[in-house]
Amino acid sequence: MSILNKTVKVKISKKRLGRGIGSGKGKTSGRGVKGQKSRSGVAINSFEGGQMPLYRRLPKRGFNPINKKKIAKINLDQLQSFLDSKKIDSQNLINLETLQLKKIINKSYSKYKILANGNLTSKINIEADFSSITAKEKVEKLGGVLKIKNPN
């Protein structure tokens, strides 16, 4: 039987402190001489010599989620201005991918919401993740379609 296949457990006995100078850890038990650290009951783990400690220098995060999903917001008047400037076409379906291709919405956004600020004069077919009720009413009033994706 080879030694490589066996795992050997070695028990290392604990250093017995303060048992005479011959032990190597006698008298002061490896704590040096005098000072705060040589005494018992010392808790100075986060003390930085009077400098503002790291845990107080860093901002508080509280209940703000770190990986919060960013949602872009587009108003109806913005959509109308893009239609007027021929940046987007009213005949095609307007969704997140087309808005990102035309560089209207940044690629860092994974979802977007249609808001009802301003007026819309063109009939559009739009697909969004979220929408305000009044925005949906304004789009459908002109004969357009505002489809909401399934929230997942």
Side-chain angles (χ1 to χ4, degrees), residues 98-148:
T98 55
L99 293 171
Q100 284 176 340
L101 279 172
K102 304 286 185 181
K103 297 193 173 153
I104 294 167
I105 292 179
N106 195 318
K107 288 190 191 296
S108 66
Y109 291 102
S110 57
K111 295 182 177 189
Y112 80 107
K113 181 173 183 171
I114 304 292
L115 299 174
N117 194 15
N119 288 319
L120 191 67
T121 55
S122 306
K123 176 184 166 185
I124 57 169
N125 185 11
I126 192 159
E127 182 182 54
D129 297 290
F130 308 102
S131 165
S132 66
I133 296 164
T134 49
K136 190 173 173 82
E137 288 170 356
K138 283 183 179 181
V139 170
E140 289 171 350
K141 188 177 171 185
L142 291 166
V145 179
L146 199 155
K147 184 182 173 220
I148 306 294

Side-chain angles (χ1 to χ4, degrees), residues 59-69:
K60 288 192 274 185
R61 290 221 303 255
F63 289 95
N64 297 326
I66 301 164
N67 52 357
K68 185 179 175 183
K69 295 268 191 283

Side-chain angles (χ1 to χ4, degrees), residues 71-121:
I71 299 170
K73 299 169 197 79
I74 293 188
N75 282 306
L76 291 176
D77 59 348
Q78 290 174 307
L79 278 173
Q80 187 58 50
S81 68
F82 293 131
L83 288 165
D84 294 341
S85 65
K86 305 266 193 269
K87 205 163 189 184
I88 52 177
D89 186 24
S90 62
Q91 305 301 319
N92 299 334
L93 173 72
I94 301 165
N95 58 15
L96 182 68
E97 289 76 36
T98 55
L99 293 171
Q100 284 176 340
L101 279 172
K102 304 286 185 181
K103 297 193 173 153
I104 294 167
I105 292 179
N106 195 318
K107 288 190 191 296
S108 66
Y109 291 102
S110 57
K111 295 182 177 189
Y112 80 107
K113 181 173 183 171
I114 304 292
L115 299 174
N117 194 15
N119 288 319
L120 191 67
T121 55

